[in-house]
């Protein structure tokens, strides 16, 4: 297994904003050394597509048990709203608890429910595009309001209450990056506010159900089992946050990639039938989720390396999406690329439940943008999100042609 100062230097650069803005050349240099390397702290790092796929799908790999938080100074993790909401959610728990929750939630978050939103998504996209003029911040004007209103519509969150969640979510999800007293001082109040708000709505829906996902979660039942109130609140928080965070990144990253490749933007304007493969390619090219992590429960062999129980593994999904062993000319953006299977929504039992919804929104949005504004152009300096796991923009100014 490769361990070298050069690889360690590259890994260190990826932890800083300047390295994460365009991590792909660094990914390539690490992968050229080996698709599996050991970081200075002992964590195994994967940059190959096959290796990342194995990590995502192998049932012998799981998430870190939340009780392990005691070893970094948080034996009271359950008393912190930010930690409790994250580490008791489907995103991080392991079977059999994950299996039970996934079964209950999957019975409510169905493909039919998602597809039924297409007319509403088309109307939202058209309305947002109608309001674009001059120079605007694409994140604030489109990439955030579209997914937050779509997931808000799906869950049944009143339209006037949705915008507050952008700042709350950003503060809460910092615990996905690092857990420190300073981070928790912002994350805990944000998570508590989210939980209190959603808990109140769920109480209302249990008393008076409506035709929305919150009502379905409140009343979800499978094989005689039901979600507790706490589980329903935690799941609603996860679905709401994941429902717009990842999609906001996909929309902003995707548009940035298209504007860097105007011939592909023009192709999409001429061929809206490419919407499905185009979204898969945009997910592959610049994934809104860059990292997945697991812990080894049983001995496994990965890229010829025997990995012992208790070892931690980090997969750079964005690196796997650019692996030349899996994708021809991986650094090229080709909206008509065939046999595309990006790692951006994870895999295995933790495959993103909201992936169909994110795909649907992007499949509607990108062709509409290309058709309405073929001369759309960047305008001023964009600001990248300072995050190791989630790649995106906090500000992305664009100019709308008259």
């Amino acid at each position: 297994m490769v361990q070298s100062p050069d690889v360690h230097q590259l890994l260190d650069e990826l932890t800083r904003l300047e390295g994460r803005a365009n991590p792909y050349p660094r990914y390539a240099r690490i992968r050229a050394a080996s698709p599996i390397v050991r970081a200075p702290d002992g964590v195994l790092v994967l940059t190959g597509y096959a290796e990342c796929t194995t990590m995502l799908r192998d049932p012998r790999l799981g998430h870190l048990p939340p009780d392990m938080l005691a070893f970094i100074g948080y034996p009271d993790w359950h008393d912190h709203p930010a930690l409790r909401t994250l580490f008791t959610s489907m995103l991080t728990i392991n079977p059999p608890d994950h299996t039970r929750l996934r079964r209950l939630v999957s019975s409510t978050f169905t493909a039919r429910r998602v597809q039924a939103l297409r007319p509403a998504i088309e109307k939202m996209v058209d309305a947002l595009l109608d309001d674009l003029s001059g120079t605007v911040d694409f994140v604030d004007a489109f990439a955030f309001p579209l997914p937050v209103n779509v997931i808000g519509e799906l869950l049944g969150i009143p339209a006037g209450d949705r915008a507050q969640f952008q700042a709350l979510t950003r503060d809460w999800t910092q615990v996905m990056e690092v857990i420190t007293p300073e981070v928790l001082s912002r994350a805990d109040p944000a998570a508590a506010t989210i939980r209190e708000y959603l808990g109140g709505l769920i109480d209302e829906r249990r008393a008076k159900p409506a035709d929305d996902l919150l009502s379905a979660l409140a009343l979800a039942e499978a094989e005689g089992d039901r979600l507790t109130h706490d589980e329903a609140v935690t799941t609603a928080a996860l679905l709401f946050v994941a429902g717009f965070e990842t999609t906001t990144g996909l929309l902003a990253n995707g548009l940035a990639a298209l504007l860097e490749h105007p011939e592909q933007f023009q192709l999409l304007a001429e061929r809206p039938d490419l919407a499905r493969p185009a979204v898969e390619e945009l997910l592959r090219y610049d994934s809104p989720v860059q990292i997945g992590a697991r812990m080894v429960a049983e001995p496994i062999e990965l890229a010829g390396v025997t990995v012992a129980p208790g070892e931690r593994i980090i997969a750079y999904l964005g690196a796997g999406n650019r692996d030349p062993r899996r994708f021809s000319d991986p650094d090229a953006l080709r909206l008509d690329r065939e046999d595309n299977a990006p790692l951006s929504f994870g895999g295995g039992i933790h495959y993103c439940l909201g992936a169909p919804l994110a795909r649907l929104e992007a499949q509607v949005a990108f062709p509409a943008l290309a058709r309405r504004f073929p001369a759309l152009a960047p305008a001023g300096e964009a600001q990248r999100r300072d995050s190791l796991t989630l790649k995106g923009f906090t500000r992305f100014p664009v100019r709308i042609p008259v």
Side-chain angles (χ1 to χ4, degrees):
M1 186 189 308
V2 171
Q3 286 181 287
S4 73
D6 288 344
V7 166
H8 291 171
Q9 175 65 29
L10 292 167
L11 291 172
D12 180 65
E13 291 172 3
L14 289 170
T15 67
R16 300 196 293 270
L17 182 58
E18 58 268 27
R20 296 194 299 262
N22 180 19
Y24 301 105
R26 293 174 175 84
Y27 290 159
R29 290 169 61 189
I30 295 170
R31 190 175 49 242
S34 175
I36 176 169
V37 299
R38 193 176 292 279
D41 62 359
V43 173
L44 296 178
V45 177
L46 312 180
T47 52
Y49 184 92
E51 293 75 22
C52 289
T53 301
T54 296
M55 189 209 77
L56 293 170
R57 295 180 178 176
D58 196 313
R60 294 170 295 177
L61 299 172
H63 285 293
L64 191 72
D67 288 342
M68 295 291 289
L69 292 170
F71 291 96
I72 59 170
Y74 295 98
D76 59 344
W77 66 272
H78 205 274
D79 296 328
H80 290 272
L83 300 181
R84 178 161 60 94
T85 306
L86 176 62
F87 288 100
T88 61
S89 74
M90 284 191 303
L91 188 66
T92 60
I93 62 174
N94 296 310
D97 295 331
H98 177 273
T99 308
R100 171 182 166 270
L101 279 184
R102 183 91 180 196
R103 181 178 65 247
L104 284 164
V105 176
S106 296
S107 70
T108 66
F109 199 175
T110 62
R112 176 183 294 181
R113 190 183 289 273
V114 169
Q115 285 302 319
L117 282 171
R118 178 179 279 273
I121 292 172
E122 291 172 345
K123 289 181 181 179
M124 290 181 198
V125 167
D126 287 340
L128 288 170
L129 294 182
D130 286 344
D131 289 340
L132 296 186
S133 64
T135 298
V136 300
D137 178 359
F138 182 71
V139 174
D140 282 344
F142 191 92
F144 169 71
L146 175 62
V148 80
N149 281 304
V150 170
I151 193 64
E153 188 78 13
L154 180 65
L155 284 166
I157 295 173
D161 294 346
R162 297 168 189 170
Q164 65 178 313
F165 286 93
Q166 185 174 26
L168 290 171
T169 294
R170 194 148 291 165
D171 286 342
W172 170 38
T173 55
Q174 280 298 305
V175 295
M176 294 176 64
E177 306 288 330
V178 62
I179 302 172
T180 66
E182 181 182 1
V183 166
L184 286 174
S185 70
R186 297 188 302 273
D188 276 339
T193 300
I194 293 171
R195 293 188 67 86
E196 182 179 4
Y197 176 83
L198 293 175
L201 283 185
I202 287 172
D203 285 338
E204 291 177 12
R205 298 303 197 276
R206 279 195 163 138
K208 189 177 180 181
D211 185 20
D212 55 42
L213 187 54
L214 275 182
S215 297
L217 288 173
L219 303 173
E221 185 171 346
E223 300 178 12
D225 190 14
R226 295 185 66 176
L227 294 173
T228 66
H229 181 269
D230 197 64
E231 289 170 341
V233 171
T234 296
T235 301
L238 174 66
L239 292 177
F240 188 50
V241 169
F244 71 81
E245 276 280 25
T246 303
T247 310
T248 295
L250 166 58
L251 293 171
N253 292 352
L255 182 62
L258 289 169
L259 296 184
E260 290 170 2
H261 300 81
E263 78 289 350
Q264 295 296 298
F265 197 43
Q266 179 64 33
L267 177 64
L268 189 58
E270 296 169 355
R271 291 191 55 191
D273 61 295
L274 287 177
R276 288 179 181 271
V279 169
E280 298 309 296
E281 177 68 348
L282 293 170
L283 282 165
R284 183 199 69 82
Y285 187 78
D286 197 13
S287 175
V289 179
Q290 289 286 309
I291 287 177
R294 298 288 190 273
M295 188 178 75
V296 180
E298 302 176 28
I300 65 167
E301 186 172 295
L302 198 57
V305 176
T306 300
V307 187
E311 292 207 65
R312 291 182 60 230
I313 302 177
I314 290 179
Y316 276 97
L317 307 180
N321 283 341
R322 297 280 191 106
D323 188 344
R325 297 175 301 168
R326 172 61 179 82
F327 301 100
S328 62
D329 197 9
D331 293 325
L333 181 72
R334 299 205 307 263
L335 300 187
D336 58 354
R337 187 184 293 271
E338 298 179 353
D339 188 29
N340 207 344
L343 300 169
S344 308
F345 289 118
I349 65 170
H350 288 285
Y351 185 76
C352 178
L353 194 65
L357 181 59
R359 285 187 164 105
L360 177 59
E361 292 176 59
Q363 288 163 11
V364 172
F366 283 123
L369 275 164
R371 181 179 65 253
R372 291 275 294 271
F373 304 122
L376 189 70
E381 184 177 356
Q383 294 176 357
R384 282 282 182 183
R385 177 171 182 164
D386 188 7
S387 170
L388 188 62
T389 302
L390 301 174
K391 190 170 189 289
F393 293 88
T394 57
R395 183 174 179 272
F396 183 23
V398 296
R399 185 173 61 256
I400 311 298
V402 178

